[in-house]
Amino acid sequence: MDTQRQSPASQNNSPERELPPHVTQDAVVIVPGIMGSELRDTKTRKILWGLSGTRWLVSAWMRRQGLQKLHLTEEELAGATGRIEATQLLRHSTWTPYLRGQEPYTQLTDTVLDYVADPAAVCEFPYDWRLPVATNGKLLAQRAREHLTTWRNHPRHHQALTHRADQRPARLVFIAHSMGGLVTRCALDGTHHDDLAADTRTVITLGTPFYGAVKAAAILNSGRGAPVPLPHRKLQALCHTMPGLHDLLPLYRCLRTGDDVVRLDTGSVTALGGQADLARDSFDFHSRQQKVLLPGHRALAGTRQSTWQSLTLDSGMVSPHEDGARHNRDGSLIRDRSGRLVYYSVQGDGTVYRDSAAQGEHLSTAPVQHGDLARADTSLNTVIDILLEDEPQGPPLGEPGCGILTPDLVESGQTWHAIAEHTDSLQGLTCTVTDTQDDRTAKPARMAMRDGRPAAEITITDAGLYRVSLSTRDGHTVSQLVLVAEPGLDAAETD
């Protein structure tokens, strides 16, 4: 018996039920980010990514064969798919080295369900995030067209029209997190069987790296030089031949070379640990995609979190930096009076720096970490406003709140600190630590000043996945997931 939660489209509500006063008649498609879809082996039916429980999560990253079946085969790299299928959006909190914690999409889906005429109006689009964005974009185009056609013929769609002033037929609303925004843009590029963009009212992107992320380069470089924990080496081994990860490499001038900053090319990607052919395919793909305009695009970017913006590459070793160069209107780089490059810290959501997530005219910001952008109240309220066709989002929302700095991986029994950024006072600042397996276990952490910054001192004795939340007196909360593993993170085994 299948005990999985039903998808919104499979739930059945009576057409005679009264509609709530505020609903949209549109068809909504939710597109997750990288690592945000559950993956299953089509032959064994075993879940390879996305199981619930921290025991599975720790086993996946700390045991030699934990993620072996996710590695792409030669046949998959040649274009043959079907060995692995995406079954549903992430339903449980999870963790990945460098990318850190990722929250599930259940709250986003539940919020959207409150503002549509029927669950059948919502389509969740899980996809195999290992594969190229181009592959998944084509699949999304087909699925979105089928969804819109089916919804327009649904009895509740016709009932919803009577509640709307414009009484127009439904159009598509895409809500895309992280890589999901790139997949959505590909689906709307006009090269598929019809012009899906003409039937799209708006695209809402949450932390989408339109110009890439330095963390993708750091992942490919992990394990070179100084020893790193086993999970980070396992991720590098997995991503070394993963087209999806190469599609997230930075496209802007991020590589510091002496007195200049240049774009990554196939040579530099190879030098840092990637694949030249995958990088070449990705750069060519993105070059074509830059011309695609997203209809009614509203971008939400995270702010006030320390975020890598540029990197140096020395003897095959990547050193990331939390600042980057900027250019003048004529394209030349900004320099000081002595002719030296000036570097600016823009910050972002901890993974994608703000300017990389900005595309189009409408940008809103929120003091939120990348993995929490599809769950935080600020994001959900923005989604609701756009669903109900409020005015485009205006001034940035990111001035209040604070940033949070935590290790991504710690050993049980080890004492570590969660640092609050952009605030120099303990007044009104609180920190709680919650076991993701039981949200009722939130425990306060002791706050104190550490090196001139507010910090929470934390010691966790049991392995698991924990949510560390900082709340400020202005009513904002920022959180990050931290994986606590048993001692022995420097184990020598790897995939």
Side-chain angles (χ1 to χ4, degrees):
M1 180 177 179
D2 186 2
T3 58
Q4 290 184 350
R5 168 183 166 177
Q6 287 182 306
S7 66
S10 67
Q11 301 175 36
N12 184 29
N13 285 10
S14 169
E16 288 74 29
R17 179 178 60 86
E18 282 297 318
L19 290 174
H22 301 293
V23 296
T24 177
Q25 75 269 46
D26 288 321
V28 180
V29 182
I30 300 175
V31 190
I34 190 171
M35 317 291 279
S37 301
E38 179 186 274
L39 300 184
R40 178 168 60 186
D41 188 304
T42 56
K43 289 185 178 180
T44 66
R45 313 306 294 172
K46 289 185 177 180
I47 303 300
L48 304 179
W49 177 259
L51 276 173
S52 65
T54 54
R55 179 179 299 179
W56 169 83
L57 189 62
V58 172
S59 174
W61 289 111
M62 299 305 297
R63 292 186 179 178
R64 184 174 183 274
Q65 298 297 326
L67 299 173
Q68 186 64 42
K69 290 187 179 297
L70 285 179
H71 286 239
L72 279 94
T73 64
E74 291 296 329
E75 292 77 14
E76 287 174 317
L77 288 170
T81 59
R83 182 179 69 90
I84 290 177
E85 65 178 352
T87 52
Q88 63 179 358
L89 270 58
L90 195 67
R91 304 290 186 198
H92 314 281
S93 301
T94 190
W95 177 90
T96 304
Y98 290 109
L99 301 176
R100 300 196 175 189
Q102 177 152 336
E103 299 285 4
Y105 293 96
T106 49
Q107 286 183 256
L108 175 61
T109 299
D110 289 345
T111 297
V112 171
L113 287 171
D114 287 337
Y115 295 93
V116 294
D118 190 89
V122 181
C123 169
E124 296 179 340
F125 180 74
Y127 60 91
D128 186 348
W129 34 264
R130 305 172 309 138
L131 303 179
V133 166
T135 298
N136 289 312
K138 184 176 181 179
L139 295 173
L140 175 58
Q142 179 180 351
R143 183 69 187 93
R145 172 56 67 193
E146 294 170 351
H147 176 56
L148 180 60
T149 300
T150 301
W151 172 240
R152 283 178 171 176
N153 292 321
H154 195 284
R156 295 286 282 179
H157 168 250
H158 301 295
Q159 185 181 1
L161 296 184
T162 64
H163 281 239
R164 305 296 295 178
D166 53 16
Q167 298 192 358
R168 59 166 174 79
R171 300 177 72 192
L172 287 164
V173 173
F174 290 91
I175 306 173
H177 177 231
S178 190
M179 178 193 270
L182 303 180
V183 175
T184 300
R185 183 176 63 178
C186 179
L188 297 172
D189 69 5
T191 63
H192 306 295
H193 57 87
D194 66 357
D195 187 8
L196 198 65
D199 281 323
T200 299
R201 174 168 73 84
T202 188
V203 177
I204 307 169
T205 57
L206 310 172
T208 291
F210 289 106
Y211 301 98
V214 168
K215 273 193 176 180
I219 289 171
L220 290 176
N221 192 247
S222 182
R224 296 195 170 197
V228 297
L230 176 61
H232 298 69
R233 298 199 302 274
K234 288 172 67 69
L235 181 63
Q236 192 279 336
L238 173 64
C239 294
H240 176 64
T241 57
M242 185 190 294
L245 192 280
H246 285 72
D247 280 339
L248 299 179
L249 285 168
L251 305 171
Y252 56 94
R253 296 169 68 173
C254 67
L255 179 59
R256 302 186 185 188
T257 58
D259 198 34
D260 199 5
V261 181
V262 300
R263 291 181 174 85
L264 293 177
D265 57 19
T266 55
S268 53
V269 172
T270 302
L272 62 83
Q275 292 280 326
D277 55 343
L278 296 182
R280 184 180 303 108
D281 291 345
S282 177
F283 292 154
D284 290 345
F285 167 73
H286 281 296
S287 178
R288 298 189 299 272
Q289 290 287 292
Q290 292 300 324
K291 303 174 184 177
V292 179
L293 298 178
L294 292 174
H297 183 207
R298 316 286 178 82
L300 179 65
T303 56
R304 301 180 75 78
Q305 316 304 312
S306 296
T307 307
W308 295 338
Q309 294 174 221
S310 63
L311 60 95
T312 52
L313 182 60
D314 184 13
S315 300
M317 287 288 295
V318 165
S319 297
H321 306 284
E322 293 181 357
D323 52 12
R326 281 185 167 180
H327 58 76
N328 298 293
R329 290 184 180 274
D330 63 3
S332 62
L333 295 175
I334 298 177
R335 299 177 181 272
D336 62 18
R337 293 182 178 180
S338 301
R340 293 171 298 192
L341 285 175
V342 179
Y343 291 97
Y344 299 84
S345 178
V346 177
Q347 299 192 319
D349 62 21
T351 295
V352 180
Y353 98 100
R354 187 195 64 194
D355 291 354
S356 184
Q359 190 178 72
E361 298 179 358
H362 301 297
L363 174 67
S364 296
T365 57
V368 177
Q369 286 274 327
H370 185 77
D372 201 30
L373 271 170
R375 187 191 73 103
D377 288 343
T378 302
S379 304
L380 298 181
N381 290 335
T382 299
V383 167
I384 292 169
D385 286 345
I386 297 172
L387 275 181
L388 298 180
E389 296 186 312
D390 278 3
E391 291 299 313
Q393 302 302 291
L397 307 176
E399 287 307 314
C402 68
I404 184 172
L405 278 178
T406 66
D408 63 349
L409 178 65
V410 298
E411 294 184 355
S412 58
Q414 174 186 344
T415 298
W416 47 279
H417 296 85
I419 308 296
E421 295 189 297
H422 310 298
T423 178
D424 56 6
S425 171
L426 293 171
Q427 184 176 1
L429 190 65
T430 59
C431 178
T432 58
V433 180
T434 306
D435 186 338
T436 59
Q437 294 299 289
D438 184 1
D439 284 340
R440 296 169 299 178
T441 62
K443 297 180 179 179
R446 186 178 70 86
M447 301 291 302
M449 297 301 293
R450 178 180 174 83
D451 298 328
R453 294 189 293 180
E457 185 174 279
I458 301 171
T459 305
I460 299 175
T461 57
D462 297 323
L465 186 64
Y466 293 82
R467 182 180 299 111
V468 181
S469 301
L470 282 175
S471 298
T472 56
R473 60 182 177 181
D474 54 29
H476 288 263
T477 298
V478 60
S479 66
Q480 180 57 277
L481 296 175
V482 177
L483 184 66
V484 179
E486 298 291 347
L489 298 181
D490 58 348
E493 61 177 358
T494 185
D495 283 341

